[in-house]
Amino acid sequence: MAGAVGSAAMLPRGVLGAQAYASPGHGTGDGDTPVPQTPPLKKYVDPLPRPRTAIPDPSVYPGADYYEFTMREGSWRFHRDLGPAKVWGYWATNPHDPRKAIGMGYLGPTISVPKDHPTVVKYRNELPTTHMFQFVIDGIRNGDPDLTPIAPPPYKSELPFPPNVNVWNVVHQHGGFTAPQSDGMPLHSFSPDGVHAESYTTLDPSRVKPNEAICAYTNHERSSMLWYHDHGMGMTSINVYAGLAGLYLIRDPADERLGLPQGEFEVPLILQDRTFNQDGSLAYTMTLREGEDTPVVNGKAYPFLAVEPRRYRLRILNASNERFWRLRFDVPRDVLPQPTLPFWLIGTDGGFRTPLQMLNFLISPAERYDLIVDFSQMPMGTNVTLQNYHAPVHYPGMPGEGPEISDIMQFQVTKRLSGGPDRTTPPKKLELPTAAPIEPKPDTRRREWVTYQHKLFSTMTFNAVPFMEPSQDFIQAGSTEIWEYINPNHDAHPMHVHLVNFQVLNRQPIDAAAYQADYEKWLDGGRKPEDRPVLANYLTGPPIPPDPDEAQSDKDTFKSYPETVTRIIIKEFSPPTETIASIPGSGTEFPATYVHHCHILEHEDDDLMRPWTIVDHGGGDHGGGDEGGGDQGGGHGHGR
């Protein structure tokens, strides 16, 4: 039986030199400023909510399902003992009754689509023009060094949004195989009053108002759980914190034959951490400390779910801004020989994998885990507690630690078995359509991404280049590449690459202090390509295979552990080029620019994000220094 142990715990550690840095999100904050604390809450008194599923309208675009989603402010109660909070959320138009929008105020309805059947969504922005966490916007605009991205030399710093914008938004389909103009990248943002970021784009522009945008999705992914969330330039962290996230399920009709739990026995769990003021309102404290102090699942603090003694499929999304969670299912000591209930991992970000029995796993922000948990051996009345342990904020806990969270939610075996015996397939007998391994070749191109921090607690960037600089990385369409993420910092970073799925190839420990020092010398010396530090000279141990829970898995987000190089392999850079739902301009045109970034959202906002560009076979290899690139998401500017 395997328990998922993060590689940071397995890797030999180098000496932590003075040049090996880490960043606690938006900043260290003022030590004299009191940090809000959530009032004491009674656990397991609120039932777990389940987000409703949006209803498509197939009549608008032939051959596609159409949705209209509106972002707006509302009210939501996070716990029985808390007052109502102002929140932001997505609401879906109900084509059967337009007066009854589908949503719950916080988060958004689930989009559930059949594989390969396209989806078209109009997103409408009706949020206030003053931010719920305006103090963060003001701090960035006023140049607060703990909040404002500071460009490394020789680049000049730029504010991420224009002076007349306090709120702007764009929706990113996370994990989607999507043309760049529908990908929802930060510079596609648009405000409630119609201000557009420079790369704002929409399909079918005759059908949209200035505060709207239309996107189209192919749904060519494997059967999997994607999600959608805000990606507003410079304010993703506080927009998602306010509530702008939801699930996007790709369903394959062939899955019906697998014998998996369905309906009420398939349970989505959107896991977040939040802090609440005494009146129940949301308190954003990550300008003062790392992480928040209370677990929230599907919008409820410490919820419970009444379950039957049978198998359940739990589909877990870590939608936290910063927090990694190490999860296990604790049971009373007189129920099982060990204090934790084993479960089976059957899928990750990109879909199914070979079933793996486990006792615990580490999940970073934006990752998804698909589990089968069997409650059939639990006596009636047993309480199974989902717990978090040994996962401080920032993970793995240096230089400081945020508030600890241990208990999360409870599964209460109190419902009688319904519908006869459990006829789902036992996990060890499941025959799942698993991911084919991607094998590197001797000539597979490698590309390095260095998590660079000029000084302690300052802005982090990839390769010491600000996000707003044009794309410098050009990739042949259809090619395979190995990307090497070099992390000399103390923090682990969840890295997300748009458009593609990939597999974790391996990891190797590095002499972080020596690499950081020599990288600084290289930067100071003018960044001459021939003088760049050679990674192989800093490796301190052999390659380490992927963690058991990420091996044999298609991923779109991975953990870049501290003082380590993590290698991922991307099989094919081939964005969808076909026209979707007969909408002109809905397919990819080359060159096509996407982004990758850290999914600690405060790090992303603070510039740990870069564009990269796919060129067609006739476009040539622009090399590392070409400043060209397409404008389907890579145009870099503020607003208009």
Side-chain angles (χ1 to χ4, degrees):
M1 184 180 299
V5 180
S7 288
M10 300 189 294
L11 294 172
R13 286 297 186 88
V15 176
L16 299 181
Q19 293 294 317
Y21 294 150
S23 169
H26 270 316
T28 56
D30 183 350
D32 296 330
T33 302
V35 181
Q37 305 286 332
T38 298
L41 300 176
K42 187 172 180 60
K43 298 175 183 177
Y44 321 131
V45 295
D46 287 304
L48 176 77
R50 296 203 194 193
R52 294 175 60 195
T53 299
I55 300 172
D57 184 346
S59 68
V60 180
Y61 289 96
D65 286 336
Y66 176 72
Y67 299 87
E68 290 191 2
F69 271 55
T70 301
M71 299 169 258
R72 66 173 189 248
E73 190 168 88
S75 178
W76 177 252
R77 203 173 197 129
F78 286 91
H79 188 275
R80 180 196 69 182
D81 299 333
L82 292 172
K86 183 194 307 181
V87 293
W88 292 357
Y90 299 103
W91 292 83
T93 299
N94 185 342
H96 303 319
D97 189 346
R99 296 170 299 176
K100 295 183 179 179
I102 299 169
M104 61 185 197
Y106 185 70
L107 300 175
T110 298
I111 300 176
S112 182
V113 301
K115 175 178 167 59
D116 295 327
H117 185 72
T119 298
V120 179
V121 186
K122 177 189 282 189
Y123 296 109
R124 182 178 300 111
N125 194 343
E126 292 185 355
L127 292 167
T129 55
T130 299
H131 208 285
M132 189 186 304
F133 306 109
Q134 185 65 31
F135 70 94
V136 176
I137 301 297
D138 293 342
I140 294 171
R141 185 168 284 126
N142 294 332
D144 183 335
D146 285 338
L147 296 173
T148 308
I150 306 299
Y155 298 102
K156 294 184 179 180
S157 302
E158 298 183 51
L159 289 178
F161 37 77
N164 59 331
V165 168
N166 296 316
V167 176
W168 64 4
N169 310 84
V170 67
V171 180
H172 169 52
Q173 186 204 42
H174 183 117
F177 178 67
T178 307
Q181 62 270 37
S182 292
D183 190 56
M185 289 176 276
L187 287 167
H188 294 171
S189 298
F190 54 101
S191 76
D193 50 355
V195 178
H196 295 166
E198 185 175 311
S199 295
Y200 165 84
T201 181
T202 181
L203 302 180
D204 216 349
S206 64
R207 293 195 184 208
V208 301
K209 297 176 181 178
N211 67 327
E212 298 174 340
I214 291 177
C215 297
Y217 306 123
T218 64
N219 301 324
H220 287 335
E221 299 80 14
R222 298 172 63 214
S223 176
S224 55
M225 187 173 81
L226 314 182
W227 61 303
Y228 63 93
H229 61 80
D230 187 86
H231 219 321
M233 183 65 204
M235 57 184 79
T236 295
S237 57
I238 50 177
N239 289 347
V240 172
Y241 193 88
L244 295 177
L247 299 178
Y248 195 111
L249 297 174
I250 308 290
R251 301 284 193 185
D252 189 337
D255 294 349
E256 296 291 328
R257 300 191 297 268
L258 298 175
L260 297 170
Q262 301 181 51
E264 67 175 298
F265 309 117
E266 179 185 14
V267 183
L269 301 176
I270 303 172
L271 185 57
Q272 300 172 307
D273 56 332
R274 296 291 184 263
T275 298
F276 304 99
N277 295 307
Q278 295 293 318
D279 63 358
S281 60
L282 279 168
Y284 180 81
T285 72
M286 283 183 277
T287 56
L288 302 172
R289 68 176 177 198
E290 302 167 13
E292 303 293 354
D293 64 14
T294 302
V296 170
V297 189
N298 295 358
K300 285 293 179 181
Y302 302 109
F304 74 90
L305 178 66
V307 298
E308 299 180 11
R310 57 170 295 144
R311 285 184 285 271
Y312 279 71
R313 185 181 182 187
L314 305 182
R315 310 194 71 171
I316 301 177
L317 160 67
N318 182 356
S320 303
N321 282 34
E322 299 185 346
R323 186 179 290 272
F324 288 59
W325 305 81
R326 191 183 298 280
L327 302 178
R328 69 186 182 199
F329 297 87
D330 280 12
V331 296
R333 293 188 179 272
D334 58 348
V335 173
L336 292 175
Q338 71 276 349
T340 57
L341 177 64
F343 58 88
W344 290 81
L345 174 68
I346 64 168
T348 57
D349 308 343
F352 292 121
R353 52 151 292 146
T354 302
L356 174 67
Q357 193 172 28
M358 308 183 74
L359 290 174
N360 64 81
F361 63 95
L362 179 72
I363 183 170
S364 69
E367 287 188 299
R368 284 89 70 206
Y369 277 63
D370 194 349
L371 311 181
I372 300 292
V373 181
D374 190 350
F375 298 106
S376 65
Q377 302 306 310
M378 301 292 101
M380 291 298 288
T382 301
N383 293 328
V384 179
T385 304
L386 181 63
Q387 289 208 310
N388 174 54
Y389 71 106
H390 295 169
V393 185
H394 288 147
Y395 185 81
M398 298 177 68
E401 297 184 7
E404 291 186 10
I405 293 176
S406 49
D407 298 338
I408 298 173
M409 67 170 291
Q410 204 167 72
F411 300 88
Q412 301 175 355
V413 187
T414 56
K415 298 175 72 174
R416 297 293 176 185
L417 200 62
S418 61
D422 186 349
R423 293 184 175 86
T424 60
T425 305
K428 63 182 176 181
K429 294 183 178 181
L430 279 172
E431 296 181 2
L432 301 176
T434 57
I438 308 172
E439 300 293 342
K441 299 177 180 179
D443 61 346
T444 301
R445 176 162 182 173
R446 292 172 181 252
R447 195 176 298 270
E448 292 184 358
W449 300 101
V450 179
T451 303
Y452 172 74
Q453 192 171 26
H454 182 56
K455 59 183 179 179
L456 190 62
F457 305 135
S458 71
T459 293
M460 284 187 284
T461 57
F462 283 123
N463 296 346
V465 181
F467 171 68
M468 298 296 279
E469 289 297 310
S471 176
Q472 299 175 5
D473 289 87
F474 297 88
I475 301 161
Q476 291 284 347
S479 64
T480 298
E481 290 198 1
I482 295 170
W483 285 13
E484 300 181 299
Y485 285 79
I486 302 166
N487 181 6
N489 307 140
H490 298 328
D491 293 345
H493 300 277
M495 299 299 191
H496 170 50
V497 186
H498 286 214
L499 173 70
V500 296
N501 272 184
F502 50 78
Q503 293 174 11
V504 177
L505 198 58
N506 59 45
R507 294 181 174 90
Q508 266 182 288
I510 61 172
D511 185 339
Y515 185 89
Q516 177 86 12
D518 289 347
Y519 196 78
E520 291 276 4
K521 292 177 184 177
W522 176 69
L523 295 175
D524 293 341
R527 307 182 185 226
K528 298 176 182 177
E530 64 272 17
D531 295 335
R532 181 174 175 135
V534 177
L535 176 62
N537 296 336
Y538 302 87
L539 302 174
T540 59
I544 296 169
D547 291 346
D549 52 311
E550 65 187 0
Q552 307 175 50
S553 298
D554 281 344
K555 301 280 292 172
D556 58 51
T557 306
F558 73 94
K559 307 171 189 76
S560 176
Y561 289 123
E563 301 166 56
T564 303
V565 55
T566 303
R567 300 182 181 93
I568 65 171
I569 184 167
I570 299 108
K571 183 178 182 180
E572 192 173 38
F573 289 89
S574 296
T577 56
E578 72 271 19
T579 298
I580 303 172
S582 301
I583 303 175
S586 54
T588 300
E589 296 180 5
F590 297 105
T593 295
Y594 293 86
V595 301
H596 69 135
H597 57 86
C598 178
H599 225 284
I600 292 177
L601 298 182
E602 284 71 19
H603 289 182
E604 172 193 328
D605 283 344
D606 202 33
D607 231 24
L608 192 48
M609 176 166 58
R610 280 293 291 153
W612 49 272
T613 301
I614 304 174
V615 296
D616 64 16
H617 294 286
D621 184 355
H622 294 250
D626 192 304
E627 295 290 311
D631 62 359
Q632 290 192 45
H636 282 57
H638 292 290
R640 65 173 186 265

